[in-house]
Amino acid sequence: MDAELGATKSGGGSGGMQRFAIVLTLVGLIGVLIFYWQVFFWVNTERTMGVAQRIFYLHVPAAWNAELGFGITALCSAIYLWLKDERLDWAAVAAAEAGMVFATLLLIEGSLWAKIAWGTYWTWEPRLTLTLLLWFIFLGYFMVRRSTDNSEHGKRFAAVLAIVGSLDIPLIHVSVLWFRSIHPKPVIMSADQPMNLEGDMLVTFFTALIAFTLLFLGLVAFRYGLERSQALVAQRLRRERSA
Amino acid sequence: MSLYLTQLWAVAWKDLVVEFRSRERVGAMAAFTALVGILFNFAIDPTVVRPEQIASGLIWLTLIFAGMLGLGRTFEIEAQDGALQGVLMTPIPRDALFLGKVLSNYLIMMAVVLLAMGVFGVLFALDWGNPAVVLATLSLGALGFTAVGTLFSAVSSGTAMGGTLLPILLFPLLVPVVIYGTSATNRLLADRPLSEVDGQLRMLGAFALVSLFVGAGLFRYVVEE
């Protein structure tokens, strides 16, 4: 591990990552600004649900990025346990933190929408339940990482939790489906009526999806760079102490 | 194969002997179960709800809390004097070690399950309907719970927070057990036919199998130095 860090530490790699992160985040933020203009001033109001429907444009990208984050975390954790490559652990924790941001956003704006559409902030509906549990599994992931004296153990424990969590999520999903679902059905990719949104709504939706995904990837890239810097500092300190 | 089973049993037997001589975990779990049954009795107003309507949920939560009490200490004794290092140095494969731990925990857990059925049956005057099927439901759920619980008990004893962390890691993962377990037990208590709980029992079985396999596969990364 030390040799490998030594190889990347002298420059190019780290700067490249930083530039990549800045570009992704800036493009993502510009996309988010365009999206906010679209959603507040441009797109037509939906007929039955009214203004509250506009939360939908934020909702689906948030759900997608939260799940993407958890998927990347679980995948990188599994390969990390197998290959023991530090970089996979950095990617896992970076994706988990960005995923946690979007999962939190999803729960908050979803509740606000539910208060208007369903008349209640919270209901034990399958997708809501699943998102809340996902949020708590993420929480456990960070808690277990930070509560060990030996950080190697913490990383491995967190990886084990991410893997068990990712295998448990299909089971949780099936089990919570036993409750009756009142969540709106998919509108974009539904099989019987593909693309049944109006043109301006589709444009707004895809602006949001792309902008927030770029922002997500930018956050992951920044966080990955931070993990790497921390590892380099720790490694340098160790070397100075032993010298 | 027989060597594997011998090794698995050696681990389980060691833990059971320790438990039999100290009676530490079973005693605490049994007292906890009985006391919770008594507390629930006062926490419920029988003029508002009939006990058999909520007994199923109370039993499952009692089992999970009592189980957490015992499972949390799975690796406690071995944490002292580096005893776990000794166990890890034996030529027993890690998965056999894990399954042995699950087996001893499961047998202890089953003692608590039987006790809970007795305590709740008597205190709430429950009519079990078909006690064998209720026991089968509780046993299947307890198997999945024990498998996940043993894995994360190893995780939590490796952290500075110890047992405090265990419920936070475990509860979100246990949702399927609670949903299928309570719904099956509820229907059995309401004297519904067996065919109505068939699906839940299968799902509890699936959860237990997945947990055992995943736990056996991942345990090595938890105890690795």
Side-chain angles (χ1 to χ4, degrees):
Chain A
M1 182 205 95
D2 276 3
E4 181 191 295
L5 282 178
T8 52
K9 124 192 151 174
S10 51
S14 149
M17 186 53 136
Q18 184 119 15
R19 268 197 297 279
F20 182 60
I22 292 172
V23 169
L24 274 178
T25 310
L26 276 183
V27 176
L29 282 176
I30 292 168
V32 170
L33 282 180
I34 296 173
F35 159 68
Y36 276 130
W37 173 76
Q38 287 175 334
V39 81
F40 283 117
F41 303 110
W42 180 67
V43 74
N44 287 312
T45 304
E46 203 261 348
R47 202 173 305 145
T48 47
M49 250 186 279
V51 179
Q53 181 266 345
R54 289 168 194 241
I55 293 177
F56 155 86
Y57 303 114
L58 181 63
H59 191 69
V60 178
W64 150 252
N65 283 316
E67 278 159 28
L68 182 66
F70 198 71
I72 295 175
T73 305
L75 194 66
C76 288
S77 297
I79 312 176
Y80 169 69
L81 287 185
W82 177 35
L83 296 178
K84 297 272 167 342
D85 188 330
E86 285 291 286
R87 288 174 293 182
L88 287 161
D89 174 67
W90 302 339
V93 71
E97 278 192 16
M100 184 75 163
V101 170
F102 281 98
T104 311
L105 185 70
L106 179 65
L107 286 171
I108 294 172
E109 46 79 11
S111 301
L112 294 177
W113 180 84
K115 179 66 185 168
I116 296 164
W118 298 337
T120 172
Y121 286 110
W122 188 259
T123 162
W124 292 103
E125 193 280 333
R127 290 183 211 207
L128 277 69
T129 315
L130 192 68
T131 308
L132 188 64
L133 292 171
L134 192 67
W135 193 88
F136 274 108
I137 294 173
F138 269 134
L139 181 73
Y141 179 89
F142 296 120
M143 287 184 84
V144 80
R145 255 186 104 84
R146 276 161 207 182
S147 64
T148 48
D149 305 325
N150 180 337
S151 68
E152 290 303 310
H153 288 184
K155 290 172 186 173
R156 243 183 286 134
F157 293 167
V160 166
L161 179 66
I163 295 167
V164 177
S166 71
L167 295 171
D168 205 33
I169 278 168
L171 283 172
I172 297 176
H173 185 65
V174 177
S175 68
V176 292
L177 276 177
W178 282 54
F179 298 111
R180 223 176 110 251
S181 177
I182 57 169
H183 193 282
K185 296 287 166 286
V187 286
I188 309 283
M189 295 298 193
S190 74
D192 40 316
Q193 278 178 300
M195 297 293 175
N196 66 351
L197 278 185
E198 292 293 323
D200 58 335
M201 293 183 175
L202 264 186
V203 169
T204 311
F205 172 76
F206 279 109
T207 308
L209 191 62
I210 294 166
F212 281 109
T213 307
L214 288 175
L215 190 60
F216 168 84
L217 293 174
L219 290 176
V220 172
F222 267 121
R223 193 62 186 77
Y224 178 89
L226 181 61
E227 278 295 309
R228 177 164 64 186
S229 307
Q230 282 174 343
L232 285 173
V233 168
Q235 185 194 350
R236 211 166 285 174
L237 279 177
R238 264 203 309 277
R239 221 178 265 160
E240 273 167 24
R241 224 171 276 157
S242 61
Chain B
M1 193 62 210
S2 78
L3 174 67
Y4 189 83
L5 290 179
T6 314
Q7 292 171 326
L8 193 160
W9 180 245
V11 174
W13 181 247
K14 168 189 77 69
D15 282 355
L16 287 172
V17 168
V18 169
E19 184 51 43
F20 185 73
R21 293 196 180 144
S22 67
R23 284 181 212 89
E24 214 176 41
R25 287 198 274 158
V26 171
M29 287 157 90
F32 179 88
T33 306
L35 286 169
V36 167
I38 293 169
L39 287 184
F40 275 149
N41 201 42
F42 294 120
I44 296 162
D45 185 347
T47 60
V48 181
V49 279
R50 285 176 37 241
E52 54 268 36
Q53 287 171 329
I54 51 167
S56 155
L58 298 185
I59 292 172
W60 277 96
L61 288 186
T62 307
L63 286 178
I64 284 176
F65 292 147
M68 199 88 65
L69 210 61
L71 288 180
R73 296 189 56 83
T74 310
F75 297 90
E76 211 78 339
I77 302 172
E78 282 159 348
Q80 294 164 15
D81 309 321
L84 188 60
Q85 265 57 51
V87 178
L88 291 174
M89 277 162 70
T90 58
I92 299 177
R94 299 285 190 262
D95 39 335
L97 176 55
F98 172 75
L99 292 174
K101 287 275 182 192
V102 172
L103 180 60
S104 60
N105 276 340
Y106 186 57
L107 293 175
I108 294 170
M109 194 65 207
M110 282 313 291
V112 180
V113 167
L114 288 172
L115 179 79
M117 277 183 77
V119 167
F120 280 84
V122 170
L123 292 183
F124 292 91
L126 293 177
D127 173 19
W128 291 113
N130 193 341
V133 186
V134 176
L135 184 62
T137 311
L138 293 174
S139 322
L140 265 182
L143 184 58
F145 166 69
T146 312
V148 186
T150 306
L151 180 67
F152 284 101
S153 155
V155 167
S156 70
S157 8
T159 67
M161 287 175 77
T164 324
L165 197 57
L166 187 58
I168 297 167
L169 303 179
L170 213 46
F171 282 170
L173 304 172
L174 285 178
V175 168
V177 175
V178 174
I179 289 180
Y180 294 122
T182 50
S183 107
T185 318
N186 257 327
R187 287 176 188 199
L188 291 169
L189 281 173
D191 251 342
R192 303 277 190 79
L194 202 57
S195 57
E196 278 194 29
V197 297
D198 183 54
Q200 284 95 323
L201 291 185
R202 275 165 209 262
M203 290 309 291
L204 284 177
F207 183 88
L209 268 184
V210 170
S211 312
L212 283 172
F213 271 108
V214 173
L218 290 178
F219 184 67
R220 73 188 72 230
Y221 300 110
V222 175
V223 290
E224 196 175 288
E225 267 315 296

